[in-house]
Amino acid sequence: MDHVHPWPRTPVQRAVPAPLATARKLELILACAVVFFAPMNVLRLEAFYFTAGDAFACLCLATMALNGSIRLKPLGPGTGFWIFGLVMMIGAILISSLLVGAVDRGLILALQYLFAYFLLPIIFLARPWDETAILMKVFVASMVVMAVHGVYVVNIVGETNTIFVSGNGRLQGFVERENECGALFALTFPMVLSMAAMRLMRSIVAIPVLALLGYAVMLTGSNTALYGTLFGVGLFLFSTLTPKRILIGATSLFCIWSALGIPAIRDMLPAVFKKRVLSGLESGDLSEAGTFADRMLLNEEAVRLGGEALLLGHGADQYREVSAYNSPVHNVYLLIWNEGGLPALIGFLVMLSGAIVTVWIAWRRPGGRQEAVCGFSAVMLFSLLISAAPHVYGRFWPVPVLLSLAPAVTFLIYGPPRQQFRPPRQRRR
């Protein structure tokens, strides 16, 4: 009698014609290029927002179409929620933009969000385990390159007021934005921890990578990135509670906090971190934490203006026109609400719920806990970080989130990594 196999049956390996095998390798190489160049926002056209990563994404999609490897359900069971929410958000923004006479901006914003949250999932998700692991490692390598470059331009060259370093000495990196650069490093933390837990990365590699990323977060001088990093690590530890991990986490936090009181170690910290982050952290005074007070004023105004946009919004990129501060609010929830109306915000939340559906189902499957934690940590951290950011269609935002969701999707399709190419065992008669 056949043994009841708890996982979905994996595809049987068959001989693949040489031309098709070459085409699939090319597809994977192009997908790796999309991942590697995604954080490099500096490599873009001046006329409109189109990056080097976008160019590779178009080539990859064309190759996937020729190979017949486009996945119709890239997020697995959560695909319906994801696409419905995305269409609802974009539709609400387009209608609002049409009524206020900003159709061109509405179309541009809609295309940017479609590219980031509809096309990129098709490229990255529902791939076999070996390809999923490669893409995740390529992204970590890209972040390591940006971190090393940050150490070079800040600590060795001493740049200020350039495309990589702001006038006050904060690392902007290849993203050209301080907080967004820090947010990328923060999103990489739970990914690396999860890769080590899933044995997709060795601990001997993960530990120095995490140390480098932690220092890079300090170079950005971003309070949002620091607290986001702590939130992401804490969420990972809480979701994978074991006495050993609780002890390691508590001991590490105690050692780090104690080390900050040692003058020799304190002098080694980046000056911008001590000025913008550490002073407010030690005093507990949020007024010293960067531009917190200014952002709260913008948030309060956005909530007030949002009361006038319950059904229809002010139109794409029109918030700065109605704001007394002539500036977009750095909170994507409030910005989408104001520019597309409350239906747009509901659509955005429904889209994010699609990712939660996928990780929840992976969590409930035997053996899928680590894969689910990887995606859950990223989605929750992303949801927190974007409360301090304007529009998030820049491709560097969804890439780490999608790659963190990839193990859960791959698990639901192929089962655990160790069983990907194993046929179901037969019980002896």
Side-chain angles (χ1 to χ4, degrees):
M1 184 176 179
D2 289 341
H3 177 68
V4 178
H5 192 60
W7 316 110
R9 287 183 178 270
T10 56
V12 179
Q13 282 188 303
R14 297 176 180 175
V16 179
L20 183 57
T22 302
R24 289 180 179 174
K25 289 181 181 179
L26 175 61
E27 174 191 321
L28 179 60
I29 292 172
L30 291 172
C32 289
V34 178
V35 171
F36 187 81
F37 287 103
M40 301 183 186
N41 205 50
V42 64
L43 302 176
R44 67 179 187 277
L45 298 179
E46 293 294 334
F48 56 95
Y49 187 70
F50 188 82
T51 67
D54 295 344
F56 284 111
C58 293
L59 292 174
C60 185
L61 283 168
T63 306
M64 292 174 68
L66 293 174
N67 293 344
S69 56
I70 291 180
R71 293 94 182 166
L72 298 179
K73 297 179 65 176
L75 272 87
T79 303
F81 290 91
W82 183 275
I83 294 178
F84 177 79
L86 179 62
V87 171
M88 183 177 177
M89 179 188 73
I90 290 175
I93 292 176
L94 281 173
I95 293 173
S96 299
S97 302
L98 174 64
L99 294 178
V100 299
V103 182
D104 54 340
R105 297 307 307 167
L107 287 173
I108 292 173
L109 194 66
L111 290 174
Q112 294 290 358
Y113 270 106
L114 279 173
F115 199 107
Y117 294 93
F118 179 72
L119 296 182
L120 291 187
I122 294 175
I123 294 175
F124 299 144
L125 302 182
R127 289 182 175 273
W129 270 113
D130 55 345
E131 296 183 8
T132 296
I134 290 173
L135 292 177
M136 295 177 76
K137 291 176 182 178
V138 168
F139 179 78
V140 173
S142 178
M143 296 308 300
V144 166
V145 169
M146 186 159 71
V148 171
H149 176 263
V151 173
Y152 173 75
V153 296
V154 174
N155 292 345
I156 299 178
V157 179
E159 286 188 9
T160 54
N161 201 26
T162 66
I163 60 174
F164 300 123
V165 185
S166 66
N168 57 0
R170 298 178 64 190
L171 176 64
Q172 299 180 142
F174 303 137
V175 188
E176 298 181 282
R177 306 172 191 177
E178 304 96 328
N179 291 329
E180 282 79 353
C181 181
L184 270 176
F185 290 129
L187 283 166
T188 311
F189 260 83
M191 181 191 295
V192 173
L193 290 171
S194 295
M195 291 175 69
M198 292 183 289
R199 291 186 170 84
L200 300 180
M201 178 183 292
R202 294 184 178 181
S203 298
I204 196 173
V205 176
I207 292 174
V209 166
L210 291 173
L212 177 62
L213 295 176
Y215 188 77
V217 169
M218 295 184 188
L219 290 177
T220 64
S222 172
N223 286 278
T224 303
L226 175 65
Y227 298 137
T229 299
L230 296 176
F231 175 81
V233 173
L235 194 61
F236 171 83
L237 294 175
F238 180 77
S239 301
T240 57
L241 279 179
T242 62
K244 180 179 178 181
R245 287 181 180 175
I246 293 174
L247 179 62
I248 293 175
T251 303
S252 301
L253 188 61
F254 175 78
C255 292
I256 292 173
W257 184 255
S258 300
L260 293 177
I262 302 176
I265 294 180
R266 194 183 184 92
D267 292 340
M268 296 171 61
L269 298 177
V272 68
F273 174 77
K274 291 186 287 187
K275 179 180 178 181
R276 287 182 51 87
V277 181
L278 191 57
S279 59
L281 191 63
E282 291 178 332
S283 65
D285 186 2
L286 291 178
S287 64
E288 298 182 23
T291 57
F292 178 80
D294 295 336
R295 291 190 178 188
M296 285 305 299
L297 288 175
L298 287 171
N299 287 342
E300 292 171 2
E301 181 193 47
V303 172
R304 186 174 66 255
L305 293 175
E308 305 171 5
L310 294 179
L311 185 59
L312 296 172
H314 303 292
D317 294 333
Q318 300 304 301
Y319 181 84
R320 66 174 71 242
E321 302 298 330
V322 298
S323 170
Y325 302 101
N326 196 32
S327 174
V329 60
H330 281 61
N331 184 312
V332 77
Y333 303 106
L334 295 176
L335 189 58
I336 289 176
W337 176 12
N338 275 270
E339 295 192 349
L342 201 55
L345 176 59
I346 294 173
F348 184 71
L349 295 176
V350 170
M351 184 186 76
L352 293 180
S353 73
I356 298 299
V357 168
T358 297
V359 298
W360 172 249
I361 294 177
W363 176 281
R364 292 179 62 85
R365 292 279 182 89
R369 186 167 184 173
Q370 295 292 353
E371 289 78 4
V373 167
C374 183
F376 179 73
S377 300
V379 173
M380 296 306 295
L381 179 54
F382 173 76
S383 302
L384 174 68
L385 292 171
I386 61 177
S387 64
H391 280 300
V392 289
Y393 56 74
R395 261 56 92 187
F396 53 86
W397 277 113
V399 167
V401 180
L402 294 172
L403 291 177
S404 297
L405 284 169
V409 179
T410 301
F411 169 80
L412 292 174
I413 298 174
Y414 295 95
R418 62 183 181 277
Q419 295 184 354
Q420 180 181 3
F421 298 116
R422 290 185 182 181
R425 292 183 301 174
Q426 300 293 324
R427 179 176 294 180
R428 293 182 179 179
R429 296 183 181 276

